[in-house]
Amino acid sequence: MIALTLAEVAAAVSGELRLHGADTPETVVSGGVDTDSRNIAAGGVFVAKPGEATDGHLFVGKAVENGAALAIVERPVDEPVTQIVVADAVLALADLAREVVARVRALGALRIVGITGSNGKTTTKNMLAAILREEGETVAPVASFNNAVGAPLTMLRVTESTRFLVCEFGADAPGQIARLAGLVTPDVGVVLMVGMAHAGGFGGIEETVKAKSELVRAVREGGVAVLNADDPRVAGMAPIAAERGASVRWFGADASADVRRGEVTVSADGTATEVTVEGRTLPLHLKVLGAHHVSNALAAVAAATALGVAPDAAIERVAALELAERWRMQVLGNDRVRIINDAYNASPDSYHAALRTLAQITGPDERMVAVLGAMSELGEYDNAEHAKVALQAVRLRIPRIVVVGQEARGLYLSVIAEGSWDSEAVFFPTADEAYEYLMGELRDGDRVLVKSSNAAGLRFLGDRLGESFA
């Protein structure tokens, strides 16, 4: 965090300052800010956030042991550290982030990009960060720090020398993106696509559209909205950008796109296409598997060029990215048995894309194996969307389908109902049982997709398989 006095921090979070030891209101703090006491280092600021499983106030002492200079708390704690007492620690974290970003932005160099969408946020964020880091100091989220806690923690990492802040905005209910993006008012807002992810929480696809459009409404006047020309729901957000006094930069396959792709070829070595941007057509070969990641790359290039990055430099840097993110189309194992671990997030769109990729990279003498778990947060659409996944798996003629977890049993039954039988599809209640089966089943030439939502935990099964066949 940039240097602030204790009085300035207290004012930013509307809190009551309770000094300890030799501290005064003018004492300066400048250490990292975190809600996890294990991440606190000397001079750090610990935010004691109440949680579902535990309470951050129980760990103030541990934070002090690790060197915390300040604790932001909802109630005073009997620990030897200066404290600022606030009504809501999470809101205080957001208020502090707003203040810090505003101060850095006032220096004139900081440019801010916000990214949202039903799928692809983290991949696009990593692609854009890889491009921008070559231009100047860039702050981007760790993993998927995109919620009410993670996004402000990312924002608080900016310094006076930061040139780019890349924010990822996720949400499972209306209003969340508006609140998070409103903390920073991005110069560039990127909307990737609108799909069924979190549709249960939003109450339907149209409500999801409204929620994602909140980022466009938050773009500053004179800024740029980077929109997907191939998604009608996203394209429909262009009038909102106009209302905000923001220009639109389009990406996609559509002929009208400012950053446009050609035909896409997917192989075990990656994903290839041509990109037309600013009157030039340049080759792009992604090391990341999956045709769907081309759209993410286009969005990253569109955002980067909107910020003044040369098109050829942007494409060269995104092509050099080895891995989009751990557990996202991550290739493990070896040439004989290749494991594709894509089990961190799963929406209907990403599920279908991953299954298509499995079919595209599997040669005629190789075998497809799909290890599938449940999708989360679909609400009333749960059964129907799992049934669609089952239908696609059968139509792709995947010869071995392994369904894991009680929450995914409906997916298994749908696979059987769609015509997969005679041990082509098997079901296991636990990942351990599935692992034991797969260790006896997998053979040379197998191409194995492990796909599920984060909650299903199959990413760890993918890791185990990757290690076993390394």
Side-chain angles (χ1 to χ4, degrees):
M1 184 181 73
I2 62 171
L4 296 173
T5 67
L6 291 172
E8 288 172 328
V9 176
V13 301
S14 301
E16 176 192 351
L17 179 60
R18 296 194 173 199
L19 298 169
H20 174 78
D23 284 349
T24 73
E26 299 309 308
T27 297
V28 173
V29 290
S30 60
V33 181
D34 214 296
T35 59
D36 188 333
S37 62
R38 295 168 295 185
N39 297 333
I40 295 295
V45 178
F46 177 61
V47 181
K49 177 182 72 70
E52 294 180 5
T54 186
D55 185 344
H57 293 79
L58 301 175
F59 299 92
V60 174
K62 182 62 178 178
V64 174
E65 290 178 13
N66 290 340
L70 171 66
I72 296 177
V73 297
E74 293 184 1
R75 61 179 184 273
V77 177
D78 186 17
E79 296 290 351
V81 65
T82 292
Q83 300 170 38
I84 296 176
V85 184
V86 298
D88 186 309
V90 174
L91 293 181
L93 182 67
D95 288 338
L96 184 58
R98 180 190 290 108
E99 177 70 13
V100 166
V101 171
R103 287 178 179 239
V104 174
R105 197 173 205 170
L107 300 176
L110 181 65
R111 303 294 297 280
I112 302 171
V113 182
I115 300 172
T116 195
S118 298
N119 299 110
K121 294 184 294 295
T122 299
T123 297
T124 305
K125 171 262 297 184
N126 287 339
M127 289 177 167
L128 180 57
I131 296 171
L132 296 179
R133 285 192 183 103
E134 299 299 318
E135 302 290 321
E137 181 181 307
T138 299
V139 171
V142 176
S144 292
F145 271 33
N146 61 22
N147 61 12
V149 174
L153 288 178
T154 298
M155 297 167 189
L156 285 163
R157 288 168 43 213
V158 300
T159 69
E160 289 86 352
S161 59
T162 301
R163 185 172 174 191
F164 301 104
L165 169 62
V166 180
C167 298
E168 178 182 339
F169 298 128
D172 54 15
Q176 292 180 2
I177 293 174
R179 286 191 292 274
L180 294 175
L183 299 176
V184 294
T185 315
D187 299 281
V188 179
V190 182
V191 184
L192 299 171
M193 55 90 70
V194 175
M196 292 299 294
H198 308 298
F202 286 117
I205 194 70
E206 293 308 318
E207 292 303 314
T208 305
V209 174
K210 292 178 184 178
K212 300 305 180 185
S213 70
E214 291 170 6
L215 176 56
V216 181
R217 296 185 188 279
V219 172
R220 70 166 178 82
E221 184 178 356
V224 180
V226 175
L227 303 180
N228 187 346
D230 301 333
D231 186 329
R233 297 185 179 102
V234 176
M237 299 176 190
I240 299 173
E243 292 172 11
R244 289 288 298 169
S247 61
V248 174
R249 192 163 177 81
W250 298 100
F251 68 92
D254 190 89
S256 66
D258 300 289
V259 181
R260 185 173 70 254
R261 69 164 176 83
E263 293 297 318
V264 177
T265 303
V266 179
S267 70
D269 297 323
T271 311
T273 189
E274 288 185 332
V275 178
T276 300
V277 52
E278 297 182 4
R280 303 173 62 189
T281 299
L282 304 166
L284 170 63
H285 186 277
L286 295 174
K287 298 177 183 178
V288 181
L289 291 180
H292 53 300
H293 287 309
V294 170
S295 182
N296 299 330
L298 295 179
V301 171
T305 51
L307 292 169
V309 180
D312 52 349
I315 289 174
E316 179 182 341
R317 293 167 194 169
V318 78
L321 195 65
E322 295 282 347
L323 176 67
E325 182 74 33
R326 186 183 181 192
W327 300 317
R328 289 173 172 85
M329 299 303 287
Q330 182 178 8
V331 179
L332 304 170
N334 55 44
D335 289 339
R336 295 182 297 104
V337 178
R338 182 168 291 148
I339 312 296
I340 305 167
N341 194 353
D342 193 37
Y344 189 81
N345 275 323
S347 68
D349 297 290
S350 71
Y351 227 122
H352 293 301
L355 288 170
R356 285 194 298 269
T357 301
L358 175 64
Q360 289 168 325
I361 68 168
T362 303
D365 298 325
E366 299 169 342
R367 182 177 69 156
M368 294 183 283
V369 179
V371 182
L372 309 178
M375 294 179 281
S376 301
E377 301 181 58
L378 292 176
E380 64 182 287
Y381 307 98
D382 187 278
N383 292 336
E385 293 301 328
H386 280 98
K388 291 178 184 177
V389 167
L391 177 60
Q392 184 188 25
V394 172
R395 286 182 172 175
L396 288 172
R397 299 183 181 277
I398 298 176
R400 184 65 75 240
I401 301 172
V402 181
V403 182
V404 186
Q406 291 294 346
E407 295 82 1
R409 187 165 182 81
L411 172 59
Y412 169 69
L413 295 175
S414 293
V415 169
I416 298 298
E418 293 295 345
S420 182
W421 60 84
D422 191 26
S423 77
E424 291 176 357
V426 292
F427 171 79
F428 296 99
T430 69
D432 287 341
E433 292 171 284
Y435 175 79
E436 294 301 324
Y437 166 80
L438 288 163
M439 290 304 296
E441 171 66 22
L442 297 181
R443 62 190 190 222
D444 287 1
D446 282 350
R447 301 297 177 250
V448 186
L449 171 69
V450 183
K451 182 68 178 174
S452 76
S453 282
N454 187 19
L458 295 199
R459 62 194 186 281
F460 302 120
L461 173 59
D463 285 344
R464 290 180 70 186
L465 292 171
E467 292 171 2
S468 297
F469 290 99

